[in-house]
Amino acid sequence: MALSPEIKSALQKGSFIPAHPLALDRQLRLDEERQRALTRYYLNAGVDGIAIAVHTTQFEIRDKGIDLLEPVLAITADELTRNNTGNSFIKVAGICGDTEQAVAEAKLAVKYGYDLGLLSNGGLASWTNEQLIERARAVAEIIPVFGFYLQPAVGGRLLDFNFWRAFANIEGVEAIKVASFNRYQTLDVVRAVASSERSDKVDLYTGNDDNIVADLLTPYQVPVNGNIVEKRFVGGLLGHWSVWTKPAVDYFRKIREFVNTGQGNVAELLALGVAVTDMNQAIFDPQHNFHGCISGIHEMLMRKGLLEGIWCINPKETLSEGQLDELNRVVAEYPELTGW
């Protein structure tokens, strides 16, 4: 299955894609009204796409007895249709599990009109590179693939240069989200894509919520067979962008203008990056190994009435000690970046 020219152009140009959270009520049931309101919030902020059924949506939506994967895919797709998002709006569905499960989820994503599947390798720690590549090929036969390097702290696994080069060479892989939260591992992916046979066909998106602005500003110049291949993170697919979304859209556009035209002050943008990283640590709770990362997002959305509470499917997922103080601090210190 091939991407439409409009979606491929939007991917290559560089797009702003927030990871969509899950709205639950007090009984931990899907709150459809608020789920739809969240989608509209992102559309009103001017996003270029939405990713649903991803880590920020909670992987547990797939659990037996929870069974929320299809409902959230269906509701989000319907709300996007109702709001006439257009042919270039990027719709991404998360895909998880072994090959059988991943193929089934890819078919479900196609059923509801999603453009790409964000393919997680979480839970497959014992699989070899070859097994993961074969799984990716099977999914790519059904839906264009958005690769996903998810950090181990939140359910991912380490993947080496050889894996990512082989992955980039798969027909049907259109982009890769790098969320390793690690400079060395990020460079592994960039080098692998640059040295692949499809280096000009695979677009890089930052998922490094700890390094958003620097990722978007940096030209990666990779020596390949005596030549220099330049790759950039052209856009982002980020949980951080699920809150304070309108200011984030604004600074993303400003960064893209600087990259494309050279107009602007790079020192100011780098200073902005420090502020955004500071804000992110309050949301994502790295001090407690990211335990409160989803709850931090929920807290900020609840304050604006977009969620009723901060509840997660797993009742053990909640704010960590001291996290609320950090959230209050960054809201006070960065008012221009934490508005709505």
Side-chain angles (χ1 to χ4, degrees):
M1 181 178 176
L3 277 181
S4 72
E6 294 87 356
I7 295 296
K8 185 58 182 175
S9 175
L11 267 182
Q12 290 178 327
K13 180 180 68 174
S15 291
F16 182 108
I17 307 174
H20 198 307
L22 178 70
L24 297 174
D25 64 17
R26 291 179 181 273
Q27 286 72 44
L28 304 186
R29 298 172 303 197
L30 178 64
D31 186 335
E32 181 173 342
E33 182 179 351
R34 283 188 167 85
Q35 191 73 21
R36 290 180 179 274
L38 272 174
T39 304
R40 293 193 298 273
Y41 163 66
Y42 299 126
L43 296 180
N44 291 336
V47 304
D48 302 310
I50 279 176
I52 189 75
V54 294
H55 172 250
T56 303
T57 325
Q58 303 176 52
F59 290 136
E60 293 91 342
I61 60 174
R62 297 163 171 82
D63 290 354
K64 188 174 182 180
I66 304 297
D67 305 317
L68 288 179
L69 175 61
E70 185 164 5
V72 298
L73 289 175
I75 289 167
T76 306
D78 180 65
E79 196 61 37
L80 295 176
T81 298
R82 290 185 184 194
N83 284 272
N84 300 312
T85 48
N87 294 333
S88 62
F89 190 88
I90 302 170
K91 300 182 288 295
V92 182
I95 295 174
C96 297
D98 62 17
T99 303
E100 182 179 2
Q101 177 182 337
V103 165
E105 292 190 9
K107 291 177 179 178
L108 196 61
V110 170
K111 173 183 175 182
Y112 289 105
Y114 287 84
D115 303 299
L116 296 119
L118 185 71
L119 184 60
S120 171
N121 295 305
L124 305 175
S126 64
W127 286 41
T128 65
N129 281 3
E130 291 74 18
Q131 289 173 313
L132 291 173
I133 293 299
E134 287 305 313
R135 169 178 172 264
R137 286 198 182 101
V139 172
E141 291 179 2
I142 299 162
I143 191 170
V145 169
F146 212 128
F148 187 13
Y149 197 174
L150 178 65
Q151 61 160 324
V154 291
R157 56 166 285 178
L158 296 179
L159 294 159
D160 60 17
F161 170 89
N162 290 329
F163 169 81
W164 288 113
R165 184 167 60 181
F167 186 88
N169 278 327
I170 298 171
E171 290 292 331
V173 168
E174 300 289 347
I176 297 172
K177 165 182 171 167
V178 183
S180 60
F181 284 53
N182 181 290
R183 297 308 95 214
Y184 303 113
Q185 292 154 18
T186 295
L187 187 56
D188 280 343
V189 183
V190 178
R191 289 179 52 245
V193 173
S195 64
S196 74
E197 297 171 7
R198 302 180 67 248
S199 62
D200 60 338
K201 296 181 175 64
V202 179
D203 301 306
L204 293 175
Y205 274 65
T206 183
N208 290 320
D209 304 74
D210 65 334
N211 198 57
I212 297 169
V213 175
D215 269 358
L216 293 170
L217 284 172
T218 302
Y220 289 82
Q221 297 182 340
V222 182
V224 179
N225 298 324
N227 298 309
I228 296 296
V229 176
E230 183 171 295
K231 293 293 293 184
R232 286 182 175 269
F233 285 93
V234 295
L237 196 168
L238 294 153
H240 181 103
W241 283 350
S242 67
V243 299
W244 309 318
T245 307
K246 182 58 170 66
V249 168
D250 292 343
Y251 71 64
F252 174 73
R253 303 282 184 245
K254 188 175 182 179
I255 293 165
R256 294 305 302 156
E257 181 179 3
F258 176 82
V259 169
N260 291 331
T261 69
Q263 300 298 309
N265 186 317
V266 70
E268 289 181 1
L269 291 175
L270 290 171
L272 166 69
V274 174
V276 172
T277 297
D278 190 20
M279 292 156 56
N280 181 255
Q281 66 81 24
I283 302 172
F284 273 25
D285 191 33
Q287 294 90 338
H288 300 93
N289 205 29
F290 301 92
H291 171 79
C293 62
I294 293 176
S295 299
I297 289 169
H298 288 186
E299 172 68 23
M300 291 295 96
L301 294 173
M302 182 185 69
R303 293 186 186 191
K304 294 301 178 181
L306 289 164
L307 293 180
E308 184 184 358
I310 68 169
W311 313 295
C312 295
I313 294 171
N314 179 354
K316 293 181 180 179
E317 285 197 37
T318 188
L319 294 175
S320 294
E321 182 179 358
Q323 190 177 1
L324 195 60
D325 291 337
E326 279 297 285
L327 289 167
N328 291 335
R329 177 183 67 82
V330 298
V331 168
E333 291 181 355
Y334 306 110
E336 74 285 359
L337 294 172
T338 57
W340 296 83

